[in-house]
Amino acid sequence: MTPAEFLAACVDAGLLLLVVAAALAVLRLVRGPSLPDRVVALDFLAVALVSFCGLLALRTGVRALLDVALVLALVGLLATV
């Protein structure tokens, strides 16, 4: 296995894990017993989406996804504050 193939496999695994994490965050957002649980789930969902955009930019080579990740991170920061 070449280093490029290993990197591609790791990025694919990271994307899969981020999708699972985002799904669990949405579940907590819907079923959260209290408002703070929902706020933390929404904040984590923003972090997961930023990470997903970063990994997808690395996988596809589309640099515009990094701009999307930056905007999502700024919106997530403002939503948290």
Side-chain angles (χ1 to χ4, degrees), residues 39-54:
V39 170
V40 170
L42 191 61
D43 189 40
F44 178 74
L45 189 60
V47 170
L49 287 175
V50 169
S51 302
F52 186 83
C53 286

Side-chain angles (χ1 to χ4, degrees), residues 6-77:
F6 181 71
L7 178 64
C10 288
V11 169
D12 289 341
L15 287 170
L16 179 66
L17 290 173
L18 281 171
V19 167
V20 170
L24 290 173
V26 168
L27 181 66
R28 175 53 58 193
L29 186 65
V30 171
R31 294 185 47 186
S34 66
L35 183 62
D37 288 331
R38 289 184 171 99
V39 170
V40 170
L42 191 61
D43 189 40
F44 178 74
L45 189 60
V47 170
L49 287 175
V50 169
S51 302
F52 186 83
C53 286
L55 282 177
L56 196 61
L58 183 65
R59 181 73 171 122
T60 61
V62 177
R63 297 180 61 102
L65 287 170
L66 295 176
D67 295 334
V68 171
L70 181 64
V71 169
L72 278 173
L74 291 174
V75 169
L77 176 70

